[in-house]
Amino acid sequence: MPEGDTVLQTARRLHTALAGQVLIRSDLRVPRFATADLTGRTVLDVTPRGKHLLTRIEGGLTLHSHLRMDGSWKVYAPGERWTGGPGHQIRAVLGNATRTAVGYRLPVLELLRTADEDKVVGHLGPDLLGPDWDAGTALRNLLRDPARPLGEALLDQRNLAGIGNVYKSELCFLLQVTPWLPVGDLPAETAARLPELAKKLLEANRDRPARVTTGSGRPAQRLYVYGRAPRPCLRCRTPIRVADQGDGSRERPTYWCPSCQHGPTPRPYAKQPPTIR
């Protein structure tokens, strides 16, 4: 699932393949930009911003893409078979003399002036893996709506940019609170360490091919709770639970340990929340 660490890795691959090279192939397979021709232009850089990708191109243009749940960019050598999915899922092709980047299932793909990038990423909060990271600003953003469930607040990219559903569940486990706990109910100490803990997790995984939050290299134990229901908690052996939680746009499966994490839970798991440790 693409989150800030995955998007950073994708940006690196695209930058290595495209930056400094003249495009000899350009194909944007979305109706609005189907006639746009970028051939003959040099790719300047590929920059991640939260979960967004900004491919900057000579002439003051930026190709903005977002992977969301299923999107991906693949890079191929000349003559190499494209294996990212069937042809009808391809949304973009950018090629130079040595590499071709192919964007599959991209739900967001738009060409805009580089000077207008703020129109698509200006709303984002501090980027956990970016040069604009500011833990204090991120915390103030999260606490701005005290009644909002923590899980929803973490997914809101206007608060801090880069967290997705996996890190949301893992962060809540490490903080020992449920994703349904109102942000304003977080103990002050817990709230204060939340932004830097989030940054630490993404930083630790920015170079890893497989995401790890537990420190374990064993595939079945790389994550504490995400995707592990109904297997036993790695800490207390209580079965991990899963329920949907909204983020303002869609319901997402959310995982937690009912023994290690304290706070409200959704029905049918609702119970009186014990005192937060």
Side-chain angles (χ1 to χ4, degrees), residues 153-166:
L154 288 172
L155 287 182
D156 190 335
Q157 303 300 293
R158 296 170 298 181
N159 292 331
L160 66 173
I163 292 178
N165 213 34
V166 177

Side-chain angles (χ1 to χ4, degrees), residues 28 30 32-33 62-65 108-112 120:
L28 304 183
V30 292
R32 185 179 172 190
F33 302 105
T62 294
L63 185 65
H64 167 233
S65 59
V108 175
L109 184 71
E110 55 186 332
L111 189 64
L112 63 150
V120 293

Side-chain angles (χ1 to χ4, degrees), residues 3 5 165-167 169-170 173 201 205 210-228 231-234 240 255:
E3 304 195 20
D5 52 346
N165 213 34
V166 177
Y167 282 119
S169 294
E170 295 296 292
F173 177 83
L201 286 182
N205 286 285
R211 192 175 286 139
V212 178
T213 61
T214 62
S216 173
R218 298 177 63 181
Q221 296 183 357
R222 287 175 179 155
L223 302 176
Y224 282 110
V225 291
Y226 187 85
R228 299 196 69 253
R231 285 177 286 173
C233 174
L234 296 176
I240 298 298
Y255 299 83

Side-chain angles (χ1 to χ4, degrees), residues 161-201:
I163 292 178
N165 213 34
V166 177
Y167 282 119
K168 174 195 79 173
S169 294
E170 295 296 292
L171 271 168
C172 289
F173 177 83
L174 290 169
L175 293 172
Q176 300 181 33
V177 297
T178 69
W180 292 272
L181 183 79
V183 176
D185 289 353
L186 279 171
E189 271 187 25
T190 303
R193 69 187 185 95
L194 191 162
E196 288 302 344
L197 178 59
K199 182 176 177 60
K200 182 179 179 180
L201 286 182

Side-chain angles (χ1 to χ4, degrees), residues 5-276:
D5 52 346
T6 310
V7 173
L8 176 65
Q9 293 172 17
T10 299
R12 286 174 176 168
R13 288 195 298 272
L14 291 174
H15 184 86
T16 299
L18 301 176
Q21 302 293 319
V22 176
L23 293 173
I24 61 174
R25 182 172 183 180
S26 162
D27 186 3
L28 304 183
R29 301 182 185 179
V30 292
R32 185 179 172 190
F33 302 105
T35 61
D37 184 7
L38 301 174
T39 57
R41 298 175 185 259
T42 300
V43 174
L44 304 178
D45 67 76
V46 182
T47 298
R49 180 73 174 86
K51 299 183 189 180
H52 299 252
L53 286 162
L54 303 170
T55 302
R56 298 180 179 124
I57 301 165
E58 181 184 17
L61 296 175
T62 294
L63 185 65
H64 167 233
S65 59
H66 196 297
L67 306 180
R68 289 197 181 158
M69 299 290 287
D70 302 314
S72 68
W73 279 96
K74 304 290 185 181
V75 175
Y76 301 102
E80 185 178 359
R81 182 168 172 263
W82 297 1
T83 57
H88 71 268
Q89 293 182 348
I90 295 173
R91 296 292 176 266
V93 180
L94 299 175
N96 55 44
T98 61
R99 292 289 185 270
T100 298
V102 184
Y104 291 89
R105 300 171 298 279
L106 300 174
V108 175
L109 184 71
E110 55 186 332
L111 189 64
L112 63 150
R113 293 178 57 82
T114 300
D116 294 334
E117 284 180 0
D118 267 2
K119 293 181 178 179
V120 293
V121 296
H123 66 287
L124 298 175
D127 186 344
L128 284 152
L129 295 177
D132 69 317
W133 171 247
D134 185 301
T137 299
L139 182 58
R140 288 191 294 274
N141 291 346
L142 287 167
L143 295 176
R144 191 162 42 202
D145 184 356
R148 193 173 193 187
L150 175 60
E152 292 183 23
L154 288 172
L155 287 182
D156 190 335
Q157 303 300 293
R158 296 170 298 181
N159 292 331
L160 66 173
I163 292 178
N165 213 34
V166 177
Y167 282 119
K168 174 195 79 173
S169 294
E170 295 296 292
L171 271 168
C172 289
F173 177 83
L174 290 169
L175 293 172
Q176 300 181 33
V177 297
T178 69
W180 292 272
L181 183 79
V183 176
D185 289 353
L186 279 171
E189 271 187 25
T190 303
R193 69 187 185 95
L194 191 162
E196 288 302 344
L197 178 59
K199 182 176 177 60
K200 182 179 179 180
L201 286 182
L202 269 73
E203 286 277 6
N205 286 285
R206 62 186 298 162
D207 299 317
R208 286 175 173 160
R211 192 175 286 139
V212 178
T213 61
T214 62
S216 173
R218 298 177 63 181
Q221 296 183 357
R222 287 175 179 155
L223 302 176
Y224 282 110
V225 291
Y226 187 85
R228 299 196 69 253
R231 285 177 286 173
C233 174
L234 296 176
R235 283 185 175 171
C236 72
R237 311 305 295 172
T238 300
I240 298 298
R241 290 177 176 169
V242 59
D244 286 337
Q245 182 179 36
D247 68 343
S249 62
R250 59 182 294 178
E251 296 289 310
R252 297 173 185 263
T254 299
Y255 299 83
W256 80 101
C257 172
S259 295
C260 292
Q261 293 171 254
H262 307 286
T265 55
R267 296 183 183 278
Y269 303 114
K271 61 183 181 181
Q272 285 298 112
T275 302
I276 298 171

